């Protein structure tokens, strides 16, 4: 009969299933807590932004701008622009020279989406057509609608005018 010897050193016992399961549960709880915290913070930031917009722009969202654009206005009595977002439909009121008797309304875009009625229409003036008269720009959610200026009256750009704006001319 052969005799064999064995070492009496302790061997590594694999991790018990209970400890592995406890670690997995703990990691899952931390992940769910982080997800819940992320959701609460993002909802809170969204609520804070809407509340700030309510204070700044009112409801319905209203923005105004004054500028000299031609057509009977001056530095003393500039043309006034008032943009309204009423239930997702943007409209711009134009008061040439501040005269309410010459009020014009420019239909704007519809704002689609869950919060379309709270999107803020931002107004600016810039000469995009290169004719020396500032054009009206209405920016909503990063998209801009351009109304060309023709002696103080504004209208959406024609396809030809838009094509000229989109094509680089090579002049600064």
């Amino acid at each position: 009969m052969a005799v064999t010897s064995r070492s009496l050193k302790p061997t590594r016992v694999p991790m018990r299933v209970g400890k592995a399961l406890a670690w997995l549960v703990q990691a899952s709880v931390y992940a769910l807590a982080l997800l819940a915290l992320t959701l609460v913070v993002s909802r809170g930031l969204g609520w804070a932004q809407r509340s700030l917009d309510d204070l700044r722009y009112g409801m319905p969202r209203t923005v105004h701008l004054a500028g000299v654009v031609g057509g009977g206005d001056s530095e003393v009595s500039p043309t006034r622009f008032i943009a309204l977002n009423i239930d997702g439909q943007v409209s711009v009121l134009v008061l040439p020279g501040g005269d309410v008797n010459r009020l014009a309304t420019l239909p704007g875009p519809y704002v689609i989406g869950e919060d379309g009625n709270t999107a803020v229409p931002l107004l600016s003036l810039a000469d995009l057509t290169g004719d020396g008269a500032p054009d009206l720009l209405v920016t909503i959610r990063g998209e801009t609608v351009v109304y060309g200026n023709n002696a103080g009256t504004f209208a959406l750009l024609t396809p030809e005018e838009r094509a000229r704006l989109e094509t680089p001319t090579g002049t600064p």
Side-chain angles (χ1 to χ4, degrees), residues 36-161:
L37 180 66
T38 302
L39 289 173
V40 167
V41 168
S42 67
R43 294 282 174 134
L45 289 175
W47 174 83
Q49 182 64 49
R50 279 189 302 280
S51 297
L52 183 62
D53 285 346
D54 285 345
L55 290 173
R56 188 180 294 161
Y57 303 110
M59 195 62 174
R61 299 293 189 238
T62 307
V63 178
H64 68 281
L65 173 71
V68 178
V69 296
D73 59 358
S74 65
E75 289 290 332
V76 176
S77 58
T79 296
R80 308 255 178 210
F81 301 92
I82 303 169
L84 301 165
N85 179 354
I86 302 175
D87 295 329
Q89 167 65 56
V90 175
S91 299
V92 180
L93 305 175
V94 181
L95 294 106
D99 184 5
V100 295
N101 294 321
R102 298 189 307 156
L103 175 72
T105 304
L106 303 174
Y110 286 95
V111 185
I112 307 296
E114 179 182 333
D115 60 344
N117 63 332
T118 60
V120 179
L122 301 173
L123 299 175
S124 59
L125 295 170
D127 182 16
L128 297 181
T129 56
D131 59 1
D135 302 310
L136 177 64
L137 286 71
V138 179
T139 304
I140 304 165
R141 291 183 179 164
E143 295 186 27
T144 302
V145 177
V146 179
Y147 295 90
N149 184 351
N150 184 14
T153 59
F154 293 88
L156 286 171
L157 295 180
T158 63
E160 294 82 22
E161 291 171 326

